[in-house]
Amino acid sequence: MTHPFLDLPPLSAERFAAIEDGVARLLGTRQDVLITQGEALLPLEGAIRSAAGPGTVALNVITGPYGQTFGDWLRDAGATVHDLSVPFHTAVTAEQVREAFAEHPEIDFVSLVHAEAATGNTNPVAEIGEAVREQGALFYLDAVASVGAEPVLPDAWGVDLCVIGAQKAMGGPAGVSAISVSERAWARMAANPNAPRRSYLSLLDWKDRWIDAGRKALPHAPAQLEMLALEACLERIEADGPEAVMARHRRAALASRAGAVALGGGLEPYVYAERDAAPVATTLRVPSGVVASELVARALESDPALPLAAGGGALAREMIRVNHYGPDATRDAVANSLAALGAALAERGAPVDPAGARRAVENIWR
């Protein structure tokens, strides 16, 4: 039995390197780019364990669940961690970061999530990057959700470790991810005796065996289908134009907020300020007495393909996510999601205006 996905020639080192170069173009970076063979948690954890250890003093910004995870990894690596937590309905500011530096001038590592798809907020990385440069700290950024939906510019923003994944706004595969690494970050890893070596988490192994060896021979067999899918989605973004792709995501976010307000029924944007709202996904707060997960389940009965989900963990009772990213960054995906939520609310006796919601969405898309 044959199948086109099973009978492909092996992926060459040259093609693997070319796909890495495509990621570098997307990020506008001259840093080293590694494509890691696993979901984005692989380079996210690998970068922290490689660059942080005993003696590291970290500022860990928490604007959602991933920030909490990074703090756990940093502590497990032996770092001293100062958490800067802000409410999940807002974003952190550069001034808050500077205040943390003033209180703890020994900070030499900063970890931040750019956009939290789980909570629907996005952080002003360019402004925060200026504050981090003033401190001279190493800057680690999770841009998994934001890349493709908004600018991600490691060089311009002074980001030393920037991790991306393709499964959200890029509309690509989840099984491979990438990280850009500055020279400062490589030096920090090389000086860290606890940095993973001979390990799937090791970035230094890849540097030694792949980058420093001229990217001529792959260290191990690549995830071929995922690599080809990543290549395809990079080509699609280049063909459409990154600005056009980001513009679709911005319109989807604006339309979701405006449509939810027009719909009524007690739905409200979870992230209060529009400037803090992520273009990759819009979160909505349900009215009192309504359980978000139950409302989403009812809405999905009409169309299980709608990009709707309840919040994770404790947020499952109060938050709905409209995941308008990748192929769902469209007018119809937003309008149909709001229509399904409106129908589910109407069944509960809530006053809703589905026609008004659709008009609000249409107005944004003009």
Side-chain angles (χ1 to χ4, degrees):
M1 179 179 179
T2 62
H3 191 284
F5 290 161
L6 299 178
D7 301 314
L8 296 167
L11 191 74
S12 68
E14 181 181 17
R15 192 165 183 183
F16 192 104
I19 299 171
E20 286 183 333
D21 293 342
V23 173
R25 287 194 300 274
L26 178 66
L27 299 179
T29 185
R30 298 174 65 88
Q31 297 178 5
D32 290 327
V33 169
L34 283 173
I35 295 179
T36 48
Q37 304 295 282
E39 200 270 339
L41 284 173
L42 171 62
L44 286 168
E45 182 175 358
I48 281 181
R49 295 192 183 277
S50 294
T56 299
V57 181
L59 175 65
N60 180 52
V61 180
I62 301 176
T63 58
Y66 281 102
Q68 295 170 328
T69 297
F70 299 159
D72 292 340
W73 286 341
L74 285 161
R75 291 181 177 89
D76 191 53
T80 299
V81 182
H82 300 288
D83 288 325
L84 171 55
S85 300
V86 301
F88 290 177
H89 61 257
T90 186
V92 73
T93 67
E95 184 56 35
Q96 288 173 307
V97 171
R98 287 190 174 93
E99 290 171 0
F101 289 155
E103 187 174 353
H104 303 286
E106 69 278 15
I107 288 170
D108 61 3
F109 185 99
V110 175
S111 52
L112 175 71
V113 178
H114 187 182
E116 287 268 10
T119 49
N121 55 29
T122 192
N123 291 301
V125 183
E127 298 169 18
I128 293 168
E130 289 183 13
V132 175
R133 281 196 298 273
E134 293 166 6
Q135 179 74 3
L138 206 71
F139 193 9
Y140 162 102
L141 183 69
D142 171 356
V144 173
S146 57
V147 66
E150 55 187 308
V152 176
L153 302 168
D155 293 8
W157 297 344
V159 178
D160 296 287
L161 294 158
C162 182
V163 177
I164 68 165
Q167 69 268 30
K168 288 189 167 65
M170 289 178 67
V176 289
S177 46
I179 179 170
S180 66
V181 186
S182 73
E183 289 299 324
R184 291 199 323 147
W186 283 130
R188 181 76 68 94
M189 293 180 207
N192 180 10
N194 293 337
R197 299 306 298 256
R198 297 170 296 281
S199 164
Y200 208 59
L201 289 173
S202 177
L203 300 180
L204 287 172
D205 287 354
W206 270 95
K207 184 178 190 300
D208 291 347
R209 299 176 61 192
W210 173 243
I211 293 175
D212 291 349
R215 301 195 299 177
K216 301 296 185 184
L218 288 163
H220 54 71
Q224 172 136 319
L225 297 180
E226 287 80 1
M227 288 295 296
L228 295 176
L230 176 59
E231 180 183 51
C233 86
L234 287 166
E235 291 174 347
R236 182 171 59 190
I237 291 171
E238 287 190 349
D240 291 346
E243 282 298 331
V245 175
M246 289 187 283
R248 287 201 298 269
H249 285 83
R250 286 193 296 271
R251 283 196 295 269
L254 292 171
S256 295
R257 290 176 68 86
V261 171
L263 178 66
L267 284 182
E268 299 175 349
Y270 186 86
V271 177
Y272 293 172
E274 184 180 296
R275 67 177 181 276
D276 296 336
V280 70
T282 296
T283 47
L284 302 172
R285 192 183 303 273
V286 298
S288 176
V290 175
V291 176
S293 58
E294 295 176 358
L295 190 68
V296 167
R298 184 69 181 114
L300 289 175
E301 288 180 11
S302 63
D303 183 356
L306 291 173
L308 292 171
L315 295 175
R317 296 191 62 83
E318 62 180 286
M319 178 197 287
I320 292 170
R321 289 166 44 195
V322 184
N323 294 317
H324 45 67
Y325 52 72
D328 287 318
T330 66
R331 175 184 55 195
D332 287 346
V334 171
N336 293 341
S337 294
L338 292 173
L341 290 172
L345 285 166
E347 288 181 357
R348 296 170 174 265
V352 294
D353 182 4
R358 182 165 287 276
R359 283 194 301 272
V361 171
E362 295 285 348
N363 287 339
I364 295 295
W365 230 272
R366 286 178 180 170

